[in-house]
Amino acid sequence: MDLEIDWLSLVLRWMHIVAASAALGGTLFMRLALAPSIAVLDDGARKTLHGEVRRRWSKVVMAAITFLLVSGLVNFFLNRQMFMQTTAGKLPVMYNALFGIKFLLALVVFFISSALVGRGQATEKMRLNAKFWLSVNLLLLLSIVAISNVLRGTHVLPKDYKPTADKPAVAQHVTEYAAHG
């Protein structure tokens, strides 16, 4: 079988997966390992450790947010364009609804993550209750992963769909679904 690779979509997908993995993995580690472990430290050591972790982790958080927003929005518009060209202009209602929910949940995750690594006074109360907010973020992230799995199943194209010069290439995973139809 001849499968044409859309390199832009492939890179965007990997950006999305790596950034999401960092966000979920980092949240799991911080909630289940780091937060309980620092509870045994005295106040001075705890503040020093928190400052060092915040200084380093904030860069990862901001990069993950940037990569997720860029790759997610570009993928959304690529998928939208593909559906408009291959389904007589009809976008699956489920796709739009689930993407909207996923996007809103992601914005909440971005806010909580930013607040937890920030230094501002406005979010100090959140940092003082970090275990709770890490738990909330963990549940939101797991919900986003579940929605993403369902969204991936909506990318099914007609069995006879083949990218051509007059139709822009679509995401690699979409082409794979069409091939396995």
Coordinates of all heavy atoms in Angstrom, one line a residue, residues 48-130:
T48 N 12.9 26.6 49.5 CA 14.1 26.5 48.5 C 13.8 25.5 47.4 O 14.0 25.8 46.2 CB 15.4 26.1 49.3 OG1 15.6 27.1 50.3 CG2 16.6 26.0 48.3
L49 N 13.3 24.3 47.8 CA 13.0 23.3 46.8 C 11.9 23.8 45.9 O 12.0 23.6 44.6 CB 12.7 22.0 47.5 CG 12.3 20.8 46.5 CD1 13.5 20.5 45.6 CD2 11.9 19.6 47.3
H50 N 10.9 24.3 46.4 CA 9.8 24.8 45.6 C 10.3 25.9 44.6 O 9.9 25.9 43.4 CB 8.7 25.4 46.5 CG 7.5 25.9 45.6 ND1 7.4 27.3 45.3 CD2 6.5 25.3 45.1 CE1 6.4 27.5 44.5 NE2 5.8 26.3 44.4
G51 N 11.1 26.8 45.1 CA 11.7 27.8 44.2 C 12.5 27.2 43.0 O 12.4 27.7 41.9
E52 N 13.3 26.2 43.3 CA 14.1 25.6 42.3 C 13.3 24.8 41.3 O 13.5 24.9 40.1 CB 15.2 24.7 43.0 CG 16.3 25.4 43.7 CD 17.1 26.3 42.8 OE1 17.5 25.9 41.7 OE2 17.3 27.5 43.1
V53 N 12.3 24.1 41.8 CA 11.4 23.3 40.9 C 10.6 24.3 40.1 O 10.5 24.1 38.9 CB 10.5 22.4 41.7 CG1 9.4 21.8 40.9 CG2 11.3 21.3 42.4
R54 N 10.1 25.3 40.7 CA 9.3 26.3 40.0 C 10.1 27.0 38.9 O 9.6 27.1 37.7 CB 8.7 27.4 40.9 CG 7.7 28.3 40.2 CD 7.8 29.8 40.7 NE 9.1 30.4 40.5 CZ 9.6 30.9 39.4 NH1 8.8 30.8 38.3 NH2 10.7 31.4 39.3
R55 N 11.3 27.4 39.2 CA 12.2 28.0 38.2 C 12.4 27.1 37.0 O 12.3 27.6 35.8 CB 13.5 28.4 38.9 CG 14.4 29.2 38.0 CD 15.7 29.7 38.7 NE 16.5 28.6 39.3 CZ 17.4 27.9 38.6 NH1 17.6 28.2 37.4 NH2 18.1 27.0 39.2
R56 N 12.6 25.9 37.2 CA 12.9 25.0 36.1 C 11.6 24.5 35.4 O 11.5 24.5 34.1 CB 13.6 23.7 36.5 CG 15.1 24.0 36.9 CD 15.7 22.8 37.6 NE 17.1 23.0 37.8 CZ 17.6 23.6 38.9 NH1 16.8 24.1 39.8 NH2 18.9 23.8 39.1
W57 N 10.6 24.1 36.2 CA 9.4 23.6 35.6 C 8.5 24.6 34.9 O 7.8 24.3 33.9 CB 8.5 22.9 36.7 CG 7.4 22.1 36.2 CD1 6.1 22.4 36.4 CD2 7.4 21.0 35.3 NE1 5.3 21.5 35.7 CE2 6.1 20.6 35.0 CE3 8.4 20.3 34.7 CZ2 5.7 19.6 34.2 CZ3 8.1 19.2 33.8 CH2 6.7 18.9 33.6
S58 N 8.6 25.9 35.3 CA 7.8 26.9 34.6 C 8.1 27.0 33.1 O 7.3 27.2 32.3 CB 8.0 28.3 35.3 OG 9.3 28.7 35.2
K59 N 9.4 26.8 32.8 CA 9.8 26.8 31.4 C 9.2 25.6 30.6 O 8.7 25.8 29.4 CB 11.3 26.7 31.3 CG 12.0 28.0 31.8 CD 13.5 27.8 31.9 CE 14.1 29.1 32.5 NZ 15.2 28.8 33.3
V60 N 9.1 24.5 31.2 CA 8.5 23.3 30.6 C 7.0 23.6 30.4 O 6.4 23.3 29.4 CB 8.7 22.0 31.4 CG1 8.0 20.8 30.8 CG2 10.2 21.7 31.5
V61 N 6.4 24.1 31.4 CA 4.9 24.4 31.4 C 4.6 25.4 30.3 O 3.7 25.2 29.5 CB 4.4 25.0 32.8 CG1 3.0 25.5 32.6 CG2 4.4 23.9 33.8
M62 N 5.4 26.5 30.2 CA 5.1 27.5 29.1 C 5.4 26.9 27.7 O 4.6 27.2 26.8 CB 6.0 28.7 29.3 CG 5.6 29.5 30.6 SD 3.8 29.8 30.7 CE 3.5 29.4 32.4
A63 N 6.4 26.1 27.6 CA 6.7 25.4 26.3 C 5.6 24.5 25.9 O 5.1 24.4 24.8 CB 8.0 24.7 26.3
A64 N 5.1 23.7 26.9 CA 4.0 22.7 26.6 C 2.8 23.4 26.2 O 2.1 23.0 25.3 CB 3.8 21.8 27.9
I65 N 2.4 24.5 26.9 CA 1.2 25.3 26.6 C 1.3 25.8 25.1 O 0.4 25.7 24.3 CB 1.0 26.4 27.6 CG1 0.5 25.9 28.9 CG2 0.0 27.4 27.0 CD1 0.5 26.9 30.1
T66 N 2.5 26.4 24.8 CA 2.7 26.9 23.5 C 2.6 25.8 22.4 O 1.8 26.0 21.4 CB 4.1 27.6 23.4 OG1 4.2 28.6 24.3 CG2 4.3 28.2 22.0
F67 N 3.3 24.7 22.6 CA 3.2 23.6 21.6 C 1.8 23.1 21.5 O 1.3 22.8 20.4 CB 4.2 22.5 22.0 CG 5.6 22.9 21.8 CD1 6.6 22.3 22.6 CD2 6.0 23.8 20.8 CE1 7.9 22.6 22.4 CE2 7.4 24.1 20.6 CZ 8.3 23.5 21.4
L68 N 1.1 22.9 22.6 CA -0.3 22.4 22.6 C -1.2 23.3 21.8 O -2.0 22.9 21.0 CB -0.8 22.1 24.0 CG -0.2 20.8 24.6 CD1 -0.5 20.8 26.1 CD2 -0.6 19.6 24.0
L69 N -1.1 24.6 22.1 CA -2.0 25.6 21.4 C -1.7 25.6 19.9 O -2.6 25.5 19.1 CB -1.8 27.0 22.0 CG -2.6 27.2 23.4 CD1 -2.2 28.6 23.9 CD2 -4.1 27.1 23.2
V70 N -0.4 25.7 19.6 CA -0.1 25.8 18.2 C -0.5 24.6 17.4 O -1.2 24.6 16.4 CB 1.4 26.1 18.0 CG1 1.8 26.0 16.5 CG2 1.7 27.5 18.4
S71 N 0.0 23.4 17.9 CA -0.3 22.2 17.2 C -1.8 21.8 17.2 O -2.3 21.3 16.2 CB 0.5 21.0 17.7 OG 0.2 20.8 19.1
G72 N -2.4 22.0 18.3 CA -3.9 21.7 18.5 C -4.7 22.5 17.5 O -5.6 22.0 16.9
L73 N -4.5 23.8 17.5 CA -5.3 24.7 16.6 C -5.0 24.4 15.1 O -6.0 24.4 14.3 CB -5.1 26.2 17.0 CG -5.7 26.6 18.3 CD1 -5.3 28.0 18.7 CD2 -7.2 26.5 18.3
V74 N -3.8 24.2 14.8 CA -3.5 23.9 13.4 C -4.1 22.6 13.0 O -4.7 22.5 11.9 CB -1.9 23.9 13.1 CG1 -1.6 23.4 11.7 CG2 -1.4 25.3 13.3
N75 N -4.0 21.6 13.8 CA -4.6 20.3 13.5 C -6.1 20.4 13.4 O -6.7 19.8 12.6 CB -4.2 19.3 14.6 CG -2.9 18.7 14.4 OD1 -2.4 18.6 13.3 ND2 -2.2 18.3 15.5
F76 N -6.7 21.2 14.3 CA -8.2 21.5 14.2 C -8.6 22.0 12.8 O -9.5 21.5 12.2 CB -8.7 22.4 15.3 CG -10.1 22.8 15.1 CD1 -11.1 21.9 15.5 CD2 -10.4 24.0 14.7 CE1 -12.4 22.3 15.3 CE2 -11.8 24.4 14.5 CZ -12.8 23.5 14.8
F77 N -7.8 23.0 12.4 CA -8.2 23.6 11.1 C -7.8 22.7 9.9 O -8.6 22.7 8.9 CB -7.5 25.0 10.9 CG -8.2 26.0 11.8 CD1 -7.5 26.6 12.9 CD2 -9.5 26.5 11.6 CE1 -8.1 27.5 13.7 CE2 -10.1 27.4 12.4 CZ -9.4 27.9 13.5
L78 N -6.8 21.9 10.0 CA -6.5 20.9 9.0 C -7.6 19.9 8.9 O -8.1 19.5 7.8 CB -5.2 20.2 9.2 CG -3.9 21.0 8.9 CD1 -2.7 20.3 9.4 CD2 -3.8 21.4 7.5
N79 N -8.0 19.4 10.0 CA -9.1 18.4 10.1 C -10.4 19.0 9.6 O -11.2 18.4 8.8 CB -9.3 17.9 11.5 CG -8.2 16.9 11.9 OD1 -7.7 16.2 11.0 ND2 -7.9 16.9 13.1
R80 N -10.7 20.3 9.9 CA -11.9 20.9 9.5 C -11.9 21.1 7.9 O -12.9 20.8 7.3 CB -12.0 22.3 10.1 CG -13.2 23.1 9.8 CD -13.3 24.4 10.5 NE -14.5 25.1 10.3 CZ -14.9 25.7 9.1 NH1 -14.1 25.7 8.1 NH2 -16.0 26.3 9.0
Q81 N -10.7 21.5 7.4 CA -10.6 21.6 6.0 C -10.8 20.3 5.3 O -11.5 20.2 4.3 CB -9.2 22.2 5.6 CG -9.0 22.4 4.2 CD -7.6 23.0 3.9 OE1 -6.7 22.8 4.7 NE2 -7.5 23.8 2.8
M82 N -10.2 19.2 5.8 CA -10.3 17.9 5.3 C -11.8 17.4 5.3 O -12.3 17.0 4.3 CB -9.5 16.9 6.0 CG -9.6 15.4 5.6 SD -10.9 14.5 6.4 CE -10.5 14.7 8.1
F83 N -12.5 17.6 6.4 CA -13.9 17.2 6.4 C -14.8 18.0 5.4 O -15.6 17.5 4.8 CB -14.5 17.4 7.8 CG -14.2 16.3 8.8 CD1 -13.5 16.5 9.9 CD2 -14.7 15.0 8.5 CE1 -13.2 15.5 10.8 CE2 -14.5 14.0 9.4 CZ -13.7 14.2 10.5
M84 N -14.5 19.3 5.3 CA -15.2 20.2 4.4 C -15.1 19.7 2.9 O -16.0 19.8 2.1 CB -14.8 21.6 4.5 CG -15.1 22.2 5.9 SD -16.8 22.0 6.4 CE -17.5 23.5 5.8
Q85 N -13.9 19.2 2.6 CA -13.6 18.8 1.2 C -14.1 17.3 0.9 O -14.3 17.0 -0.2 CB -12.1 18.8 0.9 CG -11.6 20.2 0.9 CD -10.1 20.2 0.7 OE1 -9.4 19.2 0.9 NE2 -9.5 21.4 0.5
T86 N -14.2 16.5 2.0 CA -14.5 15.1 1.7 C -15.9 14.7 2.1 O -16.3 13.6 1.8 CB -13.5 14.2 2.4 OG1 -13.6 14.5 3.8 CG2 -12.1 14.5 1.9
T87 N -16.6 15.5 2.8 CA -17.9 15.1 3.3 C -19.0 16.1 2.9 O -19.9 16.4 3.6 CB -18.0 15.0 4.8 OG1 -17.6 16.2 5.4 CG2 -17.0 13.9 5.3
A88 N -18.8 16.7 1.7 CA -19.8 17.6 1.1 C -20.1 18.8 2.1 O -21.2 19.3 2.3 CB -21.1 16.9 0.8
G89 N -19.0 19.2 2.8 CA -19.1 20.4 3.6 C -19.7 20.1 5.0 O -20.1 21.1 5.7
K90 N -19.9 18.9 5.4 CA -20.5 18.6 6.7 C -19.5 18.1 7.7 O -18.8 17.1 7.5 CB -21.6 17.5 6.5 CG -22.8 17.9 5.6 CD -23.8 16.8 5.5 CE -24.9 17.2 4.6 NZ -25.9 16.1 4.4
L91 N -19.4 18.9 8.7 CA -18.5 18.5 9.8 C -19.2 17.7 10.8 O -20.4 18.0 11.1 CB -18.0 19.7 10.5 CG -16.5 20.1 10.2 CD1 -16.4 21.6 10.4 CD2 -15.6 19.4 11.1
P92 N -18.7 16.6 11.3 CA -19.4 15.8 12.3 C -19.7 16.7 13.6 O -18.8 17.3 14.1 CB -18.4 14.7 12.7 CG -17.5 14.6 11.5 CD -17.4 16.0 10.9
V93 N -20.9 16.7 14.0 CA -21.3 17.5 15.1 C -20.5 17.0 16.4 O -20.1 17.9 17.2 CB -22.9 17.3 15.4 CG1 -23.3 18.0 16.7 CG2 -23.6 17.9 14.2
M94 N -20.3 15.7 16.5 CA -19.6 15.2 17.7 C -18.2 15.8 17.7 O -17.7 16.1 18.8 CB -19.5 13.7 17.7 CG -18.8 13.1 18.9 SD -18.4 11.4 18.8 CE -20.0 10.7 19.2
Y95 N -17.6 15.9 16.5 CA -16.2 16.4 16.5 C -16.1 17.8 17.0 O -15.3 18.2 17.9 CB -15.7 16.4 15.1 CG -14.2 16.9 15.0 CD1 -13.2 16.0 15.2 CD2 -13.9 18.2 14.7 CE1 -11.9 16.4 15.2 CE2 -12.6 18.6 14.7 CZ -11.6 17.7 14.9 OH -10.3 18.2 14.9
N96 N -17.0 18.7 16.6 CA -17.0 20.1 17.1 C -17.3 20.2 18.6 O -16.7 20.9 19.3 CB -18.1 20.9 16.3 CG -17.6 21.3 14.9 OD1 -16.4 21.5 14.7 ND2 -18.5 21.4 14.0
A97 N -18.3 19.4 19.0 CA -18.7 19.5 20.4 C -17.5 19.0 21.3 O -17.2 19.6 22.3 CB -19.9 18.6 20.7
L98 N -16.9 17.8 21.0 CA -15.9 17.3 21.8 C -14.6 18.2 21.7 O -13.9 18.3 22.7 CB -15.5 15.9 21.3 CG -16.6 14.8 21.7 CD1 -16.2 13.5 21.1 CD2 -16.7 14.7 23.2
F99 N -14.3 18.7 20.5 CA -13.2 19.6 20.4 C -13.4 20.8 21.3 O -12.5 21.3 22.0 CB -12.9 20.0 19.0 CG -11.7 21.0 18.9 CD1 -10.4 20.5 18.9 CD2 -11.9 22.4 18.9 CE1 -9.3 21.4 18.8 CE2 -10.8 23.2 18.9 CZ -9.5 22.7 18.9
G100 N -14.6 21.4 21.3 CA -14.9 22.5 22.1 C -14.7 22.2 23.6 O -14.1 23.0 24.4
I101 N -15.2 21.1 24.1 CA -15.0 20.7 25.5 C -13.6 20.5 25.8 O -13.1 21.0 26.8 CB -15.8 19.4 25.8 CG1 -17.3 19.7 25.7 CG2 -15.5 18.8 27.1 CD1 -18.2 18.5 25.6
K102 N -12.8 19.8 24.9 CA -11.4 19.6 25.1 C -10.6 20.9 25.2 O -9.8 21.1 26.1 CB -10.9 18.7 24.0 CG -9.4 18.4 24.1 CD -8.9 17.6 22.9 CE -7.4 17.6 22.8 NZ -6.9 16.9 21.6
F103 N -11.0 21.8 24.3 CA -10.3 23.1 24.3 C -10.5 23.9 25.6 O -9.6 24.4 26.2 CB -10.7 23.9 23.1 CG -9.9 25.1 22.8 CD1 -8.6 25.0 22.3 CD2 -10.4 26.4 23.1 CE1 -7.8 26.2 22.2 CE2 -9.7 27.5 23.0 CZ -8.4 27.4 22.5
L104 N -11.8 23.9 26.0 CA -12.1 24.6 27.3 C -11.4 24.0 28.5 O -10.9 24.7 29.3 CB -13.6 24.7 27.5 CG -14.4 25.6 26.5 CD1 -15.9 25.4 26.7 CD2 -13.9 27.0 26.6
L105 N -11.4 22.6 28.6 CA -10.7 22.0 29.7 C -9.2 22.3 29.6 O -8.6 22.5 30.6 CB -10.9 20.5 29.6 CG -12.3 20.0 29.9 CD1 -12.4 18.4 29.7 CD2 -12.8 20.4 31.3
A106 N -8.7 22.3 28.4 CA -7.2 22.6 28.2 C -6.9 24.0 28.7 O -5.9 24.2 29.4 CB -6.8 22.5 26.8
L107 N -7.8 25.0 28.5 CA -7.6 26.3 29.0 C -7.6 26.4 30.5 O -6.7 27.1 31.1 CB -8.6 27.3 28.4 CG -8.6 27.6 26.9 CD1 -9.7 28.5 26.5 CD2 -7.3 28.2 26.5
V108 N -8.4 25.6 31.1 CA -8.4 25.5 32.6 C -7.1 24.9 33.1 O -6.5 25.4 34.0 CB -9.7 24.7 33.1 CG1 -9.6 24.5 34.6 CG2 -10.9 25.4 32.7
V109 N -6.7 23.8 32.4 CA -5.4 23.2 32.8 C -4.2 24.2 32.6 O -3.4 24.3 33.5 CB -5.1 21.9 31.9 CG1 -3.7 21.4 32.0 CG2 -6.1 20.8 32.3
F110 N -4.2 24.9 31.5 CA -3.2 25.9 31.3 C -3.2 27.0 32.4 O -2.1 27.3 32.9 CB -3.4 26.6 30.0 CG -3.3 25.8 28.8 CD1 -3.8 26.2 27.5 CD2 -2.7 24.5 28.8 CE1 -3.7 25.4 26.4 CE2 -2.6 23.7 27.7 CZ -3.1 24.1 26.5
F111 N -4.3 27.4 32.8 CA -4.4 28.4 33.9 C -3.9 27.8 35.2 O -3.1 28.5 35.9 CB -5.8 28.9 34.1 CG -6.0 29.8 35.3 CD1 -5.5 31.1 35.3 CD2 -6.5 29.3 36.5 CE1 -5.6 31.9 36.4 CE2 -6.6 30.1 37.6 CZ -6.1 31.4 37.6
I112 N -4.4 26.6 35.6 CA -3.9 26.0 36.9 C -2.4 25.8 36.8 O -1.7 26.1 37.8 CB -4.7 24.7 37.1 CG1 -6.2 25.1 37.4 CG2 -4.1 24.0 38.3 CD1 -7.1 23.8 37.5
S113 N -2.0 25.2 35.7 CA -0.5 24.9 35.6 C 0.3 26.2 35.8 O 1.3 26.3 36.5 CB -0.2 24.3 34.3 OG -0.9 23.0 34.2
S114 N -0.1 27.3 35.1 CA 0.6 28.6 35.1 C 0.5 29.1 36.5 O 1.5 29.7 37.0 CB 0.0 29.5 34.1 OG 0.1 29.1 32.8
A115 N -0.6 29.0 37.2 CA -0.7 29.6 38.5 C 0.2 28.8 39.5 O 0.8 29.4 40.4 CB -2.2 29.4 39.0
L116 N 0.3 27.5 39.4 CA 1.1 26.7 40.3 C 2.6 27.0 40.1 O 3.4 26.8 41.1 CB 0.8 25.2 40.1 CG -0.6 24.8 40.6 CD1 -0.8 23.3 40.3 CD2 -0.8 25.1 42.1
V117 N 3.0 27.4 38.9 CA 4.5 27.7 38.7 C 4.8 29.2 38.8 O 5.9 29.6 38.7 CB 5.0 27.1 37.4 CG1 4.9 25.6 37.4 CG2 4.4 27.7 36.2
G118 N 3.7 30.0 38.9 CA 3.9 31.4 38.9 C 4.4 31.9 40.3 O 4.6 31.2 41.2
R119 N 4.6 33.2 40.3 CA 5.0 33.9 41.5 C 4.1 35.0 42.0 O 4.4 35.7 43.0 CB 6.4 34.5 41.3 CG 7.5 33.4 41.1 CD 8.8 34.0 40.9 NE 8.9 34.7 39.6 CZ 9.9 35.3 39.1 NH1 11.0 35.4 39.9 NH2 9.9 35.9 38.0
G120 N 3.0 35.2 41.2 CA 2.1 36.4 41.5 C 1.3 36.2 42.8 O 1.0 35.1 43.2
Q121 N 1.0 37.3 43.4 CA 0.2 37.3 44.6 C -1.3 36.8 44.3 O -1.9 36.2 45.2 CB 0.1 38.7 45.2 CG 1.4 39.1 45.9 CD 1.8 38.2 47.0 OE1 2.8 37.5 46.9 NE2 1.0 38.1 48.1
A122 N -1.8 37.1 43.1 CA -3.2 36.7 42.8 C -3.4 35.2 42.9 O -4.5 34.7 43.1 CB -3.6 37.2 41.4
T123 N -2.4 34.4 42.6 CA -2.5 33.0 42.6 C -1.8 32.3 43.8 O -1.7 31.1 43.8 CB -2.0 32.4 41.3 OG1 -0.7 32.8 41.0 CG2 -2.9 32.8 40.1
E124 N -1.4 33.1 44.7 CA -0.7 32.5 45.9 C -1.5 31.5 46.7 O -1.0 30.5 47.1 CB -0.3 33.6 46.9 CG 0.5 33.2 48.1 CD 1.8 32.5 47.8 OE1 2.4 32.8 46.8 OE2 2.3 31.7 48.7
K125 N -2.8 31.7 46.8 CA -3.7 30.8 47.5 C -3.8 29.4 46.8 O -3.8 28.4 47.5 CB -5.1 31.4 47.6 CG -5.2 32.5 48.7 CD -6.7 32.9 48.8 CE -6.7 34.0 49.8 NZ -8.1 34.5 50.0
M126 N -3.7 29.5 45.5 CA -3.7 28.2 44.8 C -2.4 27.4 45.1 O -2.4 26.2 45.2 CB -3.8 28.4 43.2 CG -5.2 28.9 42.8 SD -5.3 29.2 41.1 CE -5.4 27.6 40.4
R127 N -1.2 28.1 45.1 CA 0.0 27.5 45.4 C 0.1 26.9 46.8 O 0.7 25.9 47.1 CB 1.2 28.4 45.1 CG 1.5 28.6 43.6 CD 2.7 29.4 43.4 NE 2.7 30.8 43.9 CZ 2.1 31.8 43.3 NH1 1.4 31.6 42.2 NH2 2.1 33.0 43.9
L128 N -0.6 27.6 47.7 CA -0.7 27.1 49.1 C -1.5 25.8 49.2 O -1.3 25.1 50.2 CB -1.2 28.2 50.0 CG -0.3 29.4 50.2 CD1 -1.0 30.5 51.0 CD2 1.0 29.0 50.9
N129 N -2.4 25.6 48.3 CA -3.2 24.4 48.3 C -2.9 23.6 47.0 O -3.7 23.1 46.3 CB -4.7 24.8 48.3 CG -5.6 23.7 48.7 OD1 -5.2 22.6 49.0 ND2 -6.9 24.0 48.5
A130 N -1.6 23.4 46.8 CA -1.1 22.8 45.5 C -1.6 21.4 45.3 O -1.9 21.0 44.2 CB 0.4 22.9 45.5

